[in-house]
Amino acid sequence: MHQTLTTDQPLGQLSLLSEPGAITIEAVADGEPSSDGKPRLPRFSMVAYTGGPMRIAGWRYPVIVDLAGLAIPSQSRPIRFGHDPESGVGHSDAIRLEEGRLVATGVVSRDTAAAREIVVSARNGFPWQASIGSSVEEFEFVKQNQKVIVNGREFSGPLNVVRKATLGEISFVDLGADGNTSASVAAGFPCQQEENMDSQENVTHQEPIGDAAPDGGVTQATAAVQAAAPQEHPAVRTAAEIRAEAVAESKRIAAIRGCFAGRHPQLEAQAIEDNWDVARCERELKLADLRDGRPKAPAVQFRSEAVTGRTLEAACMLAAKATAVETMFDEPTLEAAQRRFRGGIGLQELLLEAAWANGYTGRNFRDSRAVLRFAFRPELEAGFSTIDIGGILSNVANKFLLDGFFSVERTWRNICATRNVSDFKTVTSYRLIGTDQYEQVQPGGELKHGTLGNESYTNRADTYGLMLSIDRRDIINDDLGAITTVPRKLGRGSGLKINDVFWGIFLNNASFFSVGNKNYISGADTALSIDGLTKAEVTFMDQVDSDGKPIGVMPAIMLVPTALSAIGSQLYKSMELRDTTSSTKYPIANPHQGKFRVEVSRYLSNARYTGNSSKAWYLLAEPNDLPVIEIAFLNGQESPTIETADADFSVLGIQMRGYHDFGVALQDPRGGVKVKGEA
């Protein structure tokens, strides 16, 4: 299954950790030139990705990037700090694949606070991590129990394999997901040296790393920092001071962007360049709106924290008043959703938030097609914090899908056996017959062989599904209820389909429950009563294997139509049954009290199904002992799956599709007795 997908995080922010202890520090002479006579620039090298699985926020299962499908537009790619375009560090001059790993080298060519922080912090031993920013064009989901070969190694599902992607940029970050990468910085920036290094030209410390990779492999990595201290600098700021400055600057830029919200981009750029605070931004924004004749902007649109996919998902659940929301999200996520969307999030606002995170610059929903295009299929640029709106809608919809699925009758689940299948091929079960009893072991300890007979039972899974759409009118009307109503319908449709297939096969049983199979009785004395139940019990227990011996299985379930629900419950629960007619029979004790669990289905007497009856009932064995019917689920998935996407070009709106893979088949006739209940 291949799809176009983006994640909660920037699509390519696959954060890869470099360990401390991989740092090598080499000091160079102050002002030492390079071979071309120019001042030496700090150099870096890193193993940006080891080729193994990673846990990435926004992805339910681990992610592996197939390096064979990673497009590298050029060897010179931007190097940034924290994926922020305003925090440049330098550029790469070589990016290559080595033994299933992505390796990059380059220079710290930017004169920014972020670049200086990278060098100084690396000199101080800070364990910088690497993170690549890329756009994903195609990914493949590998299901459970399936295997896939990626980057020369074999992995087992469930996991996601990014098959096609384009590298945008590489960033230094301080928190990652893969502890098997490394980053090295050769620093030629002027930095203060320790007094005891005055007489030294080079001080080197190098240690190899051999950490176990996620797949059991080992990655060897080193990192180096070269530092030369100018005497003209009286003091050098600490890494903590530089980092605090960078954080403050990032917050200031985020506040300005939140205030402008995509309006007046030139004024926004000036505010960032001239170091405006939020108060001045608000004043200038109001003046600009007045000059343009635009409506007055909201007072403040500053966002103290980035809106993530989990925050939007929590806001949707809160707005839809879903039950047990506190069990779905952690407390900080719920607090962020309540604080950010106090009045409840609308469908338009949800789509706009995703579009903005994916690079959309419009400020309203007027161009709905553009909003949907960015929300579902963003043309990612490195550094954007992308949000997977399809995943958010699918997660929200799945909650209500299950509500609809479990709202219909589920008697079938209590009387059938279930099987886990890995594909859509026919599967066969065999039953031991003939010499299936234990034989006495003679002196010498030799055991005799049992035999597999010709009795076999088959089943096969098929796919059932349906697609529904959230209409453009629902989006324009800002109806968030549409993403709860549609999945409920899809879930209910799946539950009804299972019932339809299951009971259609179960009731069309004239050749399965028959006199020839000795599992069918009829007559006026078979009506559901103490006597009728006794006769059915005797019939069940008198059944024999093909070798003529008792099957050794006890009846446990009484399956009845709705018309017989009351008498069935009485026979199960009541200690005595009184008959007030003239032909009263004594004793009045109920010999079947507590024997057979009662299951009721409205499908047994429904006229649309062949074999229906309001008087017939069944006595069945526990399905785990000897099933009369079985359901096979693909990969054990007993509930349906829902997926969300932007609608096709010919449809205005959002599409949701639900599908379910299962198969139903009758099994062993000796697992039950059908009672006609009349002559």
Side-chain angles (χ1 to χ4, degrees), residues 462-499:
D462 287 310
T463 299
Y464 303 87
L466 183 67
M467 181 177 292
L468 295 176
S469 297
I470 297 176
D471 192 86
R472 177 173 177 267
R473 288 168 294 188
D474 294 323
I475 300 177
I476 299 301
N477 293 338
D478 206 14
D479 182 11
L480 186 66
I483 67 173
T484 63
T485 302
V486 171
R488 273 197 181 101
K489 290 180 179 179
L490 288 172
R492 179 175 174 80
S494 177
L496 291 174
K497 187 60 181 178
I498 284 188
N499 275 293

Side-chain angles (χ1 to χ4, degrees), residues 91-110:
H91 67 277
S92 64
D93 54 21
I95 302 174
R96 61 192 182 277
L97 304 181
E98 291 183 357
E99 300 178 350
R101 304 178 305 167
L102 182 67
V103 179
T105 60
V107 294
V108 181
S109 55
R110 298 289 298 274

Side-chain angles (χ1 to χ4, degrees), residues 402-628:
L402 295 179
D403 286 347
F405 179 67
F406 290 116
S407 68
V408 301
E409 179 188 303
R410 287 176 53 81
T411 302
W412 59 267
R413 188 62 182 83
N414 301 327
I415 68 170
C416 74
T418 60
R419 173 193 290 269
N420 181 8
V421 295
S422 59
D423 52 39
F424 296 101
K425 298 176 183 177
T426 299
V427 291
T428 303
S429 301
Y430 293 92
R431 177 174 171 78
L432 273 171
I433 61 172
T435 56
D436 58 352
Q437 296 187 30
Y438 280 16
E439 298 288 347
Q440 182 178 359
V441 179
Q442 299 299 322
E446 181 179 357
L447 297 176
K448 295 185 178 181
H449 289 276
T451 59
L452 277 173
N454 294 324
E455 294 185 12
S456 61
Y457 312 100
T458 61
N459 202 348
R460 181 172 64 88
D462 287 310
T463 299
Y464 303 87
L466 183 67
M467 181 177 292
L468 295 176
S469 297
I470 297 176
D471 192 86
R472 177 173 177 267
R473 288 168 294 188
D474 294 323
I475 300 177
I476 299 301
N477 293 338
D478 206 14
D479 182 11
L480 186 66
I483 67 173
T484 63
T485 302
V486 171
R488 273 197 181 101
K489 290 180 179 179
L490 288 172
R492 179 175 174 80
S494 177
L496 291 174
K497 187 60 181 178
I498 284 188
N499 275 293
D500 183 58
V501 174
F502 180 91
W503 293 110
I505 292 174
F506 182 89
L507 289 171
N508 191 11
N509 55 32
S511 60
F512 186 84
F513 291 106
S514 64
V515 174
N517 285 336
K518 297 181 181 180
N519 63 355
Y520 176 77
I521 57 176
S522 62
D525 59 346
T526 62
L528 187 58
S529 62
I530 290 178
D531 293 339
L533 186 53
T534 300
K535 187 174 182 178
E537 182 183 25
V538 171
T539 303
F540 186 102
M541 297 180 68
D542 283 346
Q543 292 186 106
V544 295
D545 277 327
S546 57
D547 59 1
K549 298 178 182 179
I551 60 174
V553 176
M554 300 297 292
I557 302 170
M558 189 193 321
L559 177 63
V560 300
T562 54
L564 300 179
S565 175
I567 184 63
S569 297
Q570 286 180 325
L571 288 167
Y572 179 62
K573 296 180 179 180
S574 299
M575 297 183 64
E576 60 180 39
L577 295 177
R578 295 181 179 271
D579 189 345
T580 59
T581 64
S582 57
S583 59
T584 301
K585 296 180 179 180
Y586 294 96
I588 59 176
N590 175 17
H592 300 296
Q593 188 261 336
K595 272 189 180 180
F596 311 115
R597 183 179 80 248
V598 179
E599 298 290 346
V600 183
S601 176
R602 68 200 73 186
Y603 286 87
L604 294 178
S605 57
N606 190 283
R608 294 295 299 271
Y609 295 89
T610 301
N612 72 88
S613 172
S614 61
K615 296 182 179 180
W617 51 281
Y618 300 81
L619 199 60
L620 308 174
E622 282 288 358
N624 291 333
D625 293 335
L626 192 61
V628 296

Side-chain angles (χ1 to χ4, degrees), residues 152 242 272 342 350 605:
I242 297 175
I272 294 174
R342 295 183 183 276
L350 172 66
S605 57

